[in-house]
Amino acid sequence: MSPPPLFAPWGSEMGSQLVTFTLAGARFGIDMLRVHEALRGQARTTIPLSEPAVAGFINLRGQVVLTIDLRIRLGIAAPAAGLEPMMLVVEVDSEPVSLLVDEVGDVIDVQAMVLEAPPGTVPACLREVMLGVYQLSDGLLLALDLDRAVGAGASLPLHTQHSTRRTP
């Protein structure tokens, strides 16, 4: 039996294990139960006239999956040239969505840790999509509210027609 989800007064519920990933050196975590898999090197099909954070679609074993660039979505500067992003395939609104991240890390059990409010030094645009932070021995783990970060229920084109142009 799994432990009950955690609840933060400034965020929503999540499980006690977080899959970690990095963006621009910052370590983020999302609920492990919502992560399907981690991928590298998938070709993306661009979507004309889509918002900048929509990086296209991927074909994942015959299923068309929307790809979101989390750096753009969260207002983080573009990576250095040559950095090949990884993809985390997660579930949002009962649909798979692929998130572009710099690197996928470990699974961290946070059940015994205290979820704290984001510090004032975290930019406001990030605080809006965070559940809080965990203090680890080697730095902070920013607990991301996946639905808010991806924009679930907002303007994401989950069922948009797409072009056939491919990007590496």
Side-chain angles (χ1 to χ4, degrees):
M1 181 176 194
S2 64
L6 303 175
F7 180 77
W10 51 86
S12 58
E13 295 180 357
M14 68 180 159
S16 65
Q17 292 186 315
L18 302 181
V19 172
T20 64
F21 61 90
T22 58
L23 288 171
R27 188 169 15 178
F28 292 85
I30 54 176
D31 189 346
M32 181 184 79
L33 298 176
R34 298 194 52 195
V35 177
H36 291 220
E37 61 188 299
L39 305 168
R40 184 181 293 279
Q42 295 286 316
R44 291 186 308 275
T45 302
T46 59
I47 304 170
L49 306 175
S50 63
E51 67 175 81
V54 174
F57 283 117
I58 62 169
N59 181 338
L60 185 60
R61 293 180 291 283
Q63 185 173 16
V64 176
V65 177
L66 179 69
T67 301
I68 305 284
D69 187 330
L70 271 186
R71 275 182 174 260
I72 294 172
R73 175 68 86 189
L74 301 179
I76 298 173
L83 176 69
E84 180 186 342
M86 292 190 71
M87 293 182 180
L88 272 177
V89 180
V90 298
E91 186 173 317
V92 177
D93 286 342
S94 300
E95 295 280 338
V97 174
S98 172
L99 306 175
L100 292 181
V101 300
D102 294 352
E103 186 175 308
V104 177
D106 297 323
V107 174
I108 296 180
D109 190 340
V110 295
Q111 183 174 4
M113 299 179 188
V114 176
L115 181 65
E116 301 175 12
T121 57
V122 174
C125 61
L126 283 180
R127 276 191 306 241
E128 292 174 9
V129 297
M130 289 176 51
L131 297 169
V133 298
Y134 291 100
Q135 290 191 20
L136 306 176
S137 61
D138 60 345
L140 292 179
L141 175 62
L142 309 174
L144 197 65
D145 182 321
L146 188 56
D147 294 318
R148 282 192 278 172
V150 171
S155 60
L156 290 181
L158 292 176
H159 306 288
T160 303
Q161 292 182 355
H162 58 280
S163 73
T164 57
R165 193 180 78 187
R166 293 203 172 285
T167 59

